[in-house]
Amino acid sequence: MRQEGGDPMRYYDSVILKDGRTCVIRNTKNTDAYHVLTAFHTMHAQTDYLLTYPEENTMSVKDEVLYINQKEQSPRDLQLCALIDDKIVGLAGINALGDRIKIKHRIELGICIEKDYWHLGIGTALMQACIKAARLASFQQMELEVVATNKQAIALYEKMGFKEYGRNQRGFITKDGVDQELILMALDLRL
């Protein structure tokens, strides 16, 4: 397992999508800050399956630059973006749950894609990148939570090898007061 002070996680690849376009998957850079925030707000407004609403993100571009810089230097965290024609259309991140002995093997995944770019293979490409980076950093278990009615995401996670290990009946309560059950899933990175 890498310790603090190790090499930062880096990733760069390009994939051909189902529609023939090229998508670049790479680390976010501090020069991306404005576009990352714009993409974040767009994606979080398009679905009720994500953790936050757009208005809950109060980060400024300056704050985002600092956040990206921290991710760029971290040996245990990673933020990726998916770009088509230099436009950020997807974001994914992996974050270590901690550095204490009993949990330092675990990492958490988050992912979102702009709705106009769903069903093209971007989610698969981002997932593969995160899994590869986590394995290279010697993590042993990747975890996520997904809203139980988000069948498309669940199918992707299962395709990538994630297994359900529990449920939280009232994991989310929407701003309209609707309960959303969360499925807790994990991937054994040692396999």
Side-chain angles (χ1 to χ4, degrees):
M1 175 81 53
R2 290 187 184 188
Q3 301 297 318
E4 286 303 318
D7 294 330
M9 285 197 251
R10 299 275 185 244
Y11 192 87
Y12 184 94
D13 199 8
S14 63
V15 295
I16 303 299
L17 301 176
K18 292 176 183 176
D19 67 357
R21 287 184 285 180
T22 299
C23 179
V24 171
I25 309 288
R26 65 163 171 80
N27 294 72
T28 55
K29 303 175 194 173
N30 59 22
T31 55
D32 296 324
Y34 172 80
H35 298 290
V36 167
L37 281 175
T38 301
F40 178 93
H41 286 275
T42 297
M43 291 179 246
H44 282 70
Q46 293 176 329
T47 180
D48 210 21
Y49 291 141
L50 300 173
L51 174 64
T52 60
Y53 292 104
E55 63 271 18
E56 293 179 298
N57 181 4
T58 58
M59 290 178 71
S60 67
V61 173
K62 184 178 178 180
D63 295 333
E64 187 67 28
V65 167
L66 295 172
Y67 179 78
I68 291 170
N69 284 339
Q70 182 270 325
K71 294 293 183 192
E72 280 187 305
Q73 299 307 312
S74 175
R76 296 180 47 81
D77 298 329
L78 176 70
Q79 182 175 342
L80 297 175
C81 58
L83 299 105
I84 296 178
D85 298 326
D86 293 325
K87 177 186 178 193
I88 295 176
V89 299
L91 295 167
I94 50 176
N95 300 295
L97 291 180
D99 58 5
R100 296 180 189 226
I101 292 169
K102 290 186 176 184
I103 62 169
K104 69 181 182 179
H105 67 287
R106 297 167 59 198
I107 195 159
E108 184 176 45
L109 170 76
I111 185 170
C112 56
I113 311 237
E114 190 174 324
K115 196 170 190 174
D116 288 344
Y117 298 89
W118 289 0
H119 309 292
L120 296 176
I122 296 168
T124 298
L126 283 168
M127 293 280 299
Q128 289 170 335
C130 288
I131 291 167
K132 181 177 181 181
R135 283 187 170 129
L136 287 173
S138 300
F139 286 97
Q140 296 178 25
Q141 181 169 296
M142 183 176 286
E143 302 170 17
L144 59 84
E145 296 178 341
V146 59
V147 175
T149 56
N150 189 352
K151 303 301 182 196
Q152 179 178 310
I154 294 166
L156 171 62
Y157 302 146
E158 288 174 342
K159 177 178 94 173
M160 302 305 292
F162 281 81
K163 307 272 188 244
E164 179 180 334
Y165 69 90
R167 290 186 178 236
N168 183 340
Q169 299 296 319
R170 298 183 73 223
F172 289 168
I173 300 176
T174 68
K175 59 184 170 185
D176 298 329
V178 176
D179 293 352
Q180 289 181 313
E181 180 180 34
L182 294 180
I183 299 175
L184 296 86
M185 302 184 84
L187 173 66
D188 187 339
L189 294 167
R190 298 170 300 174
L191 304 176

